[in-house]
Amino acid sequence: MGEISIGKLLIVAVIFVLLFGTKKLRTLGSDLGCALRGFQNAVKEEPQVKTETVIDSQTTSKSVNDQ
């Protein structure tokens, strides 16, 4: 009863095409891909930003203690 077959997936795909049209779905797929790439780049860059922040705060605390 809860199985998803290829026939059911094709019916859902046809309904999406009828509702949104191929042009809208193509644009949606493109926008989703760009969003995922941006998210992946942000995740890759985030640890570098955190280490720089930690280094800056350690340097700041050392200079305050030296005075």
Side-chain angles (χ1 to χ4, degrees):
M1 183 171 161
E3 297 177 20
I4 299 175
S5 66
I6 293 177
K8 291 178 184 178
L9 289 175
L10 287 174
I11 292 171
V12 170
V14 169
I15 292 172
F16 272 115
V17 170
L18 290 175
L19 286 176
F20 298 108
T22 56
K23 197 172 198 178
K24 188 82 159 182
L25 289 175
R26 193 177 313 131
T27 305
L28 180 68
S30 159
D31 291 343
L32 182 62
C34 289
L36 285 175
R37 271 187 241 115
F39 178 74
Q40 287 175 345
N41 289 338
V43 168
K44 287 179 184 177
E45 293 175 4
E46 188 174 337
Q48 294 173 355
V49 173
K50 284 184 178 179
T51 29
E52 291 173 2
T53 306
V54 171
I55 291 170
D56 290 342
S57 64
Q58 288 175 353
T59 307
T60 307
S61 63
K62 285 181 183 178
S63 63
V64 170
N65 290 337
D66 291 340
Q67 292 177 355

